[in-house]
Amino acid sequence: MRIIKTTTFTLLLALGFSITSHSQKAPNFAAKKATLTEKQLQRWSHYDLEKDSIPGMSVDKAYAEIIKNKKGTKVVVAILDSGVDIEHDELKPVVWTNKKEIPNNGIDDDKNGYIDDIHGWNFLGNTTKEHLEYERILINKSITDEATFNAAKKENDKKIAEANGAKGQIEQVMNMCNKADETLAKFLGKATYDETDVKGVSSTDPEVLKSKAIITQMLNYGMSIPDLKKEIKKEYDGYVTVISGDNLKTDYRKVVGDNPEDIKNTKYGNNNVMGPDKSEIVHGTHVAGIVAQTRNNDIGGDGIANNVEILTIRAVPDGDEYDKDIALGIRYAVDNGAKVINGSFGKSYSPHKQWVFDAIKYAESKDVLFVHAAGNDAKDIDEADNFPNDSADKKTEFADNVITIGALNYEYGDKIVADFSNYGKANVDVFAPGVKIYASTPNNTYQFLQGTSMAAPNVAGVAALIRSYYPTLTAKQVKHILMDSGTAITTDVIVGGDPKDVRPFASLSKSGKIVNAYNALLLAEKTTATILKAKTKKK
C-alpha cells in the first residue's frame, strides 16, 4: 500500500485545481471556521470534536480525565510494515526487545527459528522493491487459475491505457513544479527553503508570484517540496515503466532467497528491522510514531499510546507484499507477545489468501487484535477486493479480531471523509484521522503524511490504551468497544472527492462512527466492571 495516493487527480488538486463543494445537511457539531495552525495540524487527531470543532479522537480529553490517575500494563504493538527506524530518538525508548535472545551471537537462543531477532524480524532481507501482485500473476503463469490470470491481464491492459493517458499530464505537473521550485530558490538565494520563506516572498515579477502560488499549494499538500517532487517523479517513472512493459521484468525475490510459494519454507530474512536503506522505511517509521512517539515533549508529534513497546516486522516492500510474508509476520507477532498488530498495507489480488486467513484465525485464538487500513482507492470494498480481510465472501466474517479503518479529513463537514479513502457498509468498521498526520520519519525527522495507512495506527494506539488500562478485555471486546463507542456522524458527506457523490456518512462503514478514545475508555471501564460484577455474582 502506498503512503499517498499520488494520482494525477490528487496532484492537480494539491496544486490548486479545486472542485466545488456540495452543500451538506446541518451538522450536529459546529464546523471550525478558522484555518488550523501548524501546531493544531500536528496534533489534530488528538482533539475533541465537540470542544475543538475538529474531528479528532478525543485523545487529550482521555488523558486529562481518565488516564491521568491510572497505571496501565505494558502492551506490545507489532508494526507489520516497511521497517522502522528504531534509532529514532522518539522511538528508541519504546522499541521491543526480545529478552530470550542474546544479541549478535549468531545463535537462535529462544529456538523460534529466527536467529538474533532482538527487535523483530525482517522478512524482506536486503530487498526494498517488489512487483504489484497482478504483475507477479502475469509473470508466474503457473501459480494461479485462468480466471485470475485473465483478470490480472485485464488490469495490466487498463494500467497501460491509464499510463498513456496520464503520462503527459503528470509530466506537465512535474515540469511546472520543478520550474516553480527553481524560480523561488533563485529568488530567495537558497536551494532549501520552508513555508515561512515562501510566505515572506514579495515581488512584482509575475513569474515569481505564480511560483509562490504553486509552491504554497505544494506545501499545503502536507509534504516537503523535495519529497513531493520525489513522489511526482516516482509516479511519472511508474507510468513509463508500465508503458514499456518493464513492470513485468526482474525477479526481486531472488535477493531474499526463499520460495515464496512454500509457506513451510520459513528460514529466510534477517534481523535488520530497518532494512538496507533508511529512505525506504519512511512509511513504517511514521506508522510506529503515530502509535507511540513520545507525548508532550514539544518535539515532533505526539503518540496516541503510552506504556507500549513497538515490535517491528519488516514485510511490506515498495510494491505489493507477499501473502507468505504477511502470514508469517502475523504469526511472529503473536508468538512474541503482541496484543495489537497494525497492518497499514493492502492489495487487490491475494493468490495465497488462505495462508493469511489462517494466520488471522491464529491471532484470534491467541487474543490478538489486527488493525487494518481500508485502502486508498476511493472504492467500495463491499464490491472491490482489498486484501487481507476477514471475510472470504465479503459478507460473513470468519474471525472477530480484525477491525478495518477508513480515513478522515481534519475538516468537519461534508469533506470529513478523506477523498482517497475506501469505504464499505459491511467491510469497513469505523473511520479515524488519516489526512495530514504528523509523525516520526527516519533520521530524527518528522513529516505530514496521509492515507488509511495513517488512520489504522491511530486506532491501533487507542486499542493499545484500552488493552493497557483494561487488560482483562479480549481482542473481540476491544474491537467492538472501538466501534460502539465512536462518535456518530449523521450528516451527508462527499465520497471519493467527487462533489456529485454525496451519501450519508452512516452508509460508509459498519458502525457509521469515528473513533473516540475518551468514549472508548469509558465503555471499556463500564464493560470491565459489568464482567467483574457478573463473575462475582456467580461465586
Side-chain angles (χ1 to χ4, degrees):
M1 174 181 290
R2 296 184 66 183
I3 304 170
I4 294 177
K5 186 175 172 60
T6 50
T7 62
T8 304
F9 176 69
T10 52
L11 284 168
L12 290 174
L13 287 182
L15 293 171
F17 295 83
S18 61
I19 55 178
T20 304
S21 173
H22 189 282
S23 61
Q24 66 171 66
K25 291 181 179 179
N28 292 337
F29 303 96
K32 188 174 183 65
K33 295 180 180 179
T35 302
L36 271 64
T37 66
E38 183 83 356
K39 192 67 177 175
Q40 287 174 324
L41 275 175
Q42 289 177 358
R43 303 192 72 262
W44 78 266
S45 60
H46 298 248
Y47 291 148
D48 179 75
L49 179 55
E50 185 175 7
K51 176 185 175 185
D52 305 303
S53 301
I54 298 170
M57 302 189 299
S58 303
V59 178
D60 290 342
K61 184 177 180 181
Y63 274 92
E65 299 183 25
I66 300 175
I67 296 174
K68 65 177 181 178
N69 295 321
K70 293 183 180 293
K71 185 177 181 180
T73 59
K74 192 75 72 177
V75 172
V76 176
V77 178
I79 306 298
L80 187 55
D81 214 291
S82 63
V84 173
D85 182 0
I86 60 174
E87 297 172 347
H88 197 293
D89 287 346
E90 293 263 30
L91 299 178
K92 272 191 292 188
V94 295
V95 171
W96 172 84
T97 298
N98 185 355
K99 296 181 176 63
K100 298 177 183 177
E101 198 77 20
I102 299 171
N104 306 316
N105 67 350
I107 299 172
D108 181 15
D109 299 292
D110 59 4
K111 296 180 172 54
N112 68 349
Y114 303 99
I115 297 171
D116 289 336
D117 56 323
I118 307 302
H119 300 301
W121 194 251
N122 171 13
F123 286 97
L124 301 179
N126 292 322
T127 189
T128 56
K129 178 68 179 172
E130 252 303 342
H131 291 290
L132 297 175
E133 194 65 71
Y134 81 85
E135 294 170 333
R136 289 198 287 258
I137 290 170
L138 294 179
I139 294 166
N140 303 311
K141 299 179 183 180
S142 62
I143 65 170
T144 189
D145 60 271
E146 185 178 356
T148 302
F149 178 84
N150 289 337
K153 176 68 167 60
K154 185 177 180 181
E155 179 82 7
N156 192 56
D157 291 343
K158 179 183 175 184
K159 294 288 185 184
I160 292 172
E162 289 175 349
N164 278 313
K167 177 174 170 286
Q169 290 177 290
I170 200 70
E171 189 170 17
Q172 288 181 350
V173 172
M174 182 169 61
N175 291 337
M176 181 172 63
C177 293
N178 289 339
K179 184 178 179 182
D181 182 31
E182 183 181 331
T183 298
L184 278 197
K186 184 177 179 181
F187 179 84
L188 292 167
K190 51 184 177 181
T192 303
Y193 51 86
D194 58 23
E195 189 173 5
T196 302
D197 294 323
V198 177
K199 285 180 178 178
V201 169
S202 178
S203 174
T204 56
D205 185 337
E207 191 62 36
V208 172
L209 293 176
K210 178 183 176 182
S211 298
K212 177 182 178 180
I214 291 171
I215 294 300
T216 297
Q217 289 299 325
M218 289 175 72
L219 290 168
N220 285 340
Y221 194 57
M223 300 178 71
S224 68
I225 294 162
D227 285 337
L228 185 54
K229 286 172 63 180
K230 183 179 176 181
E231 283 294 323
I232 297 171
K233 179 64 164 58
K234 187 175 180 180
E235 184 170 348
Y236 174 79
D237 290 343
Y239 289 143
V240 172
T241 299
V242 169
I243 292 168
S244 67
D246 286 345
N247 62 318
L248 302 182
K249 301 173 183 176
T250 308
D251 182 3
Y252 298 108
R253 192 66 179 194
K254 67 182 179 182
V255 176
V256 179
D258 75 314
N259 177 4
E261 307 309 318
D262 182 4
I263 191 67
K264 294 180 180 179
N265 174 210
T266 61
K267 303 296 190 293
Y268 67 99
N270 59 47
N271 69 343
N272 178 12
V273 296
M274 293 192 287
D277 184 354
K278 273 193 175 184
S279 69
E280 295 292 337
I281 60 172
V282 171
H283 191 274
T285 304
H286 198 267
V287 166
I290 292 170
V291 175
Q293 61 195 354
T294 308
R295 289 184 58 80
N296 302 319
N297 64 349
D298 293 321
I299 302 172
D302 284 345
I304 301 297
N306 59 1
N307 219 6
V308 296
E309 291 181 341
I310 294 299
L311 189 166
T312 298
I313 302 167
R314 185 170 180 263
V316 182
D318 179 10
D320 278 344
E321 58 280 358
Y322 273 91
D323 293 328
K324 175 183 173 180
D325 297 341
I326 297 305
L328 293 178
I330 290 172
R331 289 177 180 273
Y332 180 91
V334 172
D335 291 341
N336 284 280
K339 300 308 290 181
V340 178
I341 301 172
N342 188 83
S344 288
F345 52 83
K347 57 184 181 178
S348 300
Y349 296 86
S350 185
H352 297 295
K353 57 181 177 290
Q354 192 60 50
W355 293 349
V356 183
F357 289 171
D358 289 344
I360 288 171
K361 291 175 188 175
Y362 178 68
E364 182 184 41
S365 74
K366 300 294 184 180
D367 190 35
V368 180
L369 181 70
F370 182 59
V371 184
H372 186 236
N376 301 336
D377 299 307
K379 291 181 179 178
D380 182 351
I381 59 173
D382 288 351
E383 302 293 335
D385 286 331
N386 183 60
F387 298 101
N389 55 16
D390 56 359
S391 175
D393 61 2
K394 302 189 186 73
K395 296 176 182 177
T396 306
E397 294 183 355
F398 58 76
D400 202 13
N401 65 322
V402 179
I403 183 166
T404 303
I405 316 301
L408 294 174
N409 185 21
Y410 53 86
E411 296 177 273
Y412 179 68
D414 60 356
K415 297 178 184 176
I416 192 173
V417 175
D419 58 15
F420 52 77
S421 182
N422 285 349
Y423 53 91
K425 182 63 177 174
N427 289 285
V428 173
D429 292 306
V430 69
F431 277 74
V435 173
K436 278 202 172 183
I437 305 300
Y438 195 66
S440 53
T441 45
N443 301 312
N444 289 326
T445 59
Y446 304 85
Q447 288 184 32
F448 285 106
L449 295 178
Q450 65 183 35
T452 56
S453 282
M454 283 64 246
N458 268 312
V459 178
V462 178
L465 285 177
I466 298 171
R467 306 217 77 172
S468 174
Y469 292 96
Y470 304 95
T472 61
L473 296 175
T474 65
K476 176 181 177 178
Q477 288 167 333
V478 172
K479 169 186 173 176
H480 289 283
I481 284 170
L482 288 166
M483 294 170 63
D484 295 343
S485 66
T487 302
I489 303 298
T490 59
T491 56
D492 289 352
V493 296
I494 293 172
V495 178
D498 180 0
K500 295 179 182 178
D501 188 354
V502 178
R503 314 182 199 181
F505 181 85
S507 70
L508 304 181
S509 71
K510 189 174 290 187
S511 68
K513 296 176 181 179
I514 66 178
V515 168
N516 185 297
Y518 176 80
N519 290 347
L521 289 171
L522 285 180
L523 183 54
E525 185 169 324
K526 181 179 179 181
T527 304
T528 301
T530 301
I531 293 170
L532 182 60
K533 185 177 180 180
K535 285 182 178 178
T536 304
K537 207 170 186 180
K538 281 185 180 181
K539 291 179 181 178

